[in-house]
Amino acid sequence: QVQLQESGPGLVKPSETLSLICSVSGGSVTNDNYYWSWIRQSPGKGLEWIASIYHSGTTSYNPSLKSRVTMSVDKSKDQFSLKLSSVTAADTAVFYCARSRYYYESSGFSFDLWGQGTLVTVSS
Amino acid sequence: DIVMTQSPDSLAVSLGERATVNCKSSQSVLYNSNNKNYLAWYQQKSGQPPKLLIYWASTRESGVPDRFSGSGSGTDFTLTISSLQAEDVAVYYCQQYYSSPPTFGGGTKVEIK
């Protein structure tokens, strides 16, 4: 079955760029039925959607983070990635990648398969 | 953004008893054109990622036991566990996909009394 696995540094310095990769196994990021997303979870802010991408490269970003976020997809490796720039301690969270259902009529997403998550701490 | 508010923050229920989690959205998530509520429920066990339980407010995801049910419409929704099992101890979240950005409730922790 399809599995997602996050990877990347667990510690990032303030003002630097957080970079994460999600590897999809047992399936393909080119599946026409799904978008691929990043969601974070912190004690202070709960679950927060960050961004989503389709295999065509079409992206959707949370307006609250849009100025700092970049998502990309690598179809040859069945991976998608997240870059979050100018991080602060407030960005410390568990970051999840997830497979997403997209609802065209509402531009909304639900999340039907999640990776195990990776803790990223922002600290000097 | 649509704000999702859950209540209670936590509840303790005896094994085999009913557990009820409430979720309220700051605006309706009912799409008039198709009469569907754009509302999902997730279960998150300790140390695990969230798992999709219910979508369209009342449709169980494949493999989800039928003791889990969702109800409600518009702005008020309920997740019911009809007969609580030990493996149901978790935090439960609602999420709206009526508009972007998708937003989650703060979670309700369900424990065994």
Side-chain angles (χ1 to χ4, degrees):
Chain A
Q1 72 273 23
V2 179
Q3 293 184 314
L4 288 73
Q5 180 65 58
E6 305 88 351
S7 59
L11 181 64
V12 181
K13 290 182 168 53
S15 79
E16 295 190 344
T17 296
L18 177 162
S19 295
L20 295 174
I21 290 172
C22 182
S23 300
V24 179
S25 59
S28 173
V29 295
T30 59
N31 187 315
D32 289 341
N33 296 314
Y34 298 106
Y35 272 65
W36 304 91
S37 302
W38 289 97
I39 298 150
R40 67 181 181 180
Q41 185 172 31
S42 61
K45 282 197 166 186
L47 287 161
E48 181 179 31
W49 171 73
I50 302 171
S52 299
I53 193 167
Y54 194 59
H55 62 74
S56 63
T58 299
T59 53
S60 181
Y61 295 136
N62 192 322
S64 68
L65 296 166
K66 186 174 184 176
S67 63
R68 299 195 290 133
V69 172
T70 304
M71 272 194 78
S72 61
V73 62
D74 186 335
K75 290 179 279 189
S76 67
K77 295 181 178 178
D78 279 319
Q79 294 178 338
F80 59 100
S81 66
L82 171 73
K83 291 187 186 298
L84 180 65
S85 64
S86 305
V87 297
T88 69
D91 293 309
T92 294
V94 175
F95 285 75
Y96 294 101
C97 60
R99 188 178 72 179
S100 314
R101 300 172 182 173
Y102 180 61
Y103 304 87
Y104 288 89
E105 66 277 14
S106 71
S107 300
F109 298 94
S110 63
F111 311 99
D112 68 355
L113 186 66
W114 299 58
Q116 283 299 308
T118 187
L119 173 63
V120 179
T121 301
V122 179
S123 175
S124 55
Chain B
D1 298 1
I2 297 177
V3 177
M4 308 300 290
T5 303
Q6 291 184 230
S7 63
D9 291 336
S10 64
L11 73 159
V13 175
S14 300
L15 287 171
E17 296 300 305
R18 180 186 300 261
T20 301
V21 179
N22 301 303
C23 174
K24 189 175 185 68
S25 56
S26 61
Q27 66 183 76
S28 175
V29 298
L30 173 63
Y31 223 77
N32 291 329
S33 60
N34 58 15
N35 201 37
K36 288 186 174 183
N37 289 283
Y38 285 50
L39 189 285
W41 287 98
Y42 299 84
Q43 174 194 63
Q44 185 176 31
K45 296 182 179 180
S46 179
Q48 296 184 20
K51 172 189 173 184
L52 178 64
L53 291 179
I54 287 172
Y55 56 98
W56 297 134
S58 61
T59 302
R60 274 188 302 276
E61 180 73 343
S62 175
V64 173
D66 61 6
R67 63 179 180 274
F68 291 92
S69 63
S71 62
S73 184
T75 61
D76 293 281
F77 300 90
T78 300
L79 173 70
T80 301
I81 309 172
S82 60
S83 176
L84 190 73
Q85 305 300 303
E87 61 264 33
D88 301 334
V89 168
V91 180
Y92 293 85
Y93 296 93
C94 60
Q95 179 240 325
Q96 65 80 19
Y97 47 98
Y98 180 87
S99 66
S100 190
T103 48
F104 294 84
T108 294
K109 187 174 186 179
V110 175
E111 300 173 304
I112 305 295
K113 184 187 291 183

